[in-house]
Amino acid sequence: MLSDKFTHVNAANQPTMVDVGQKAPTRRLARAHCRVVLGAELLGRVRAGELPSHKGPVIHTAILAGIMGAKKTADLIPLCHPLGLDDCQITIEPDGPDALRVVCTAVVTGRTGVEMEALTGASVAALTIYDMCKAFSHDITITGVQLIEKTGGKRDFLRPEKS
């Protein structure tokens, strides 16, 4: 069911930050994912650690970048509340013969959710993979950035797994 109004617009139809001051702090978790399609040959090289980089190994660097991105979400998304994350985990694993699946799980005890932090973390990790691999191929795509789970707050959300 869709809401009948935007949450970040006031009565005068102007942008506004949502006042969460009256909400009780609760433990909130959000998980988002995306897919980085590299192609089979490039994926093999990434997995084998064969790509030289002064930034470090592709996967490790992407994990660090994703966590840093999640922590900076309020600096990137207008009207997002700055959150002190309790935890942020990034996993990057093979997803088929030619791609990586990036998952970001963000957790906070607070008055507002962490969906944007999880989405930002997954996106920044994926963009870092692209950045580190683009010297070898520009035929890389990032697809399916989406929230897959949210708990805490008003209502929980779980995206059904595709079979």
Side-chain angles (χ1 to χ4, degrees):
M1 182 170 112
L2 292 176
S3 176
D4 59 349
K5 64 178 183 165
F6 286 108
T7 56
H8 290 85
V9 177
N10 65 18
N13 205 31
Q14 299 297 313
T16 188
M17 191 173 213
V18 174
D19 183 355
V20 296
Q22 300 302 313
K23 290 182 169 184
T26 60
R27 184 150 177 93
R28 296 158 184 264
L29 175 144
R31 184 171 289 118
H33 73 166
C34 64
R35 192 166 190 259
V36 183
V37 182
L38 297 165
E41 181 182 346
L42 186 51
L43 175 61
R45 293 179 71 187
V46 168
R47 291 188 65 201
E50 293 176 9
L51 302 181
S53 167
H54 294 295
K55 295 179 185 180
V58 172
I59 302 296
H60 292 155
T61 304
I63 289 169
L64 291 172
I67 293 168
M68 292 169 66
K71 290 168 57 174
K72 290 289 195 177
T73 299
D75 294 335
L76 302 169
I77 309 293
L79 305 176
C80 235
H81 290 85
L83 301 177
L85 296 176
D86 295 337
D87 191 18
C88 183
Q89 300 291 321
I90 304 279
T91 61
I92 302 172
E93 297 179 349
D95 188 18
D98 63 349
L100 293 168
R101 183 172 189 244
V102 178
V103 179
C104 177
T105 304
V107 180
V108 71
T109 302
R111 293 179 164 91
T112 189
V114 290
E115 298 97 306
M116 296 311 301
E117 286 73 12
L119 288 160
T120 300
S123 298
V124 170
L127 289 167
T128 301
I129 294 167
Y130 188 104
D131 180 53
M132 294 181 73
C133 294
K134 71 180 187 269
F136 303 98
S137 173
H138 284 286
D139 192 26
I140 301 168
T141 59
I142 299 169
T143 64
V145 179
Q146 61 186 354
L147 181 70
I148 53 176
E149 179 183 4
K150 171 190 116 51
T151 62
K154 268 192 232 181
R155 58 188 163 275
D156 292 347
F157 170 83
L158 180 62
R159 184 175 305 281
E161 288 281 329
K162 292 180 182 177
S163 45

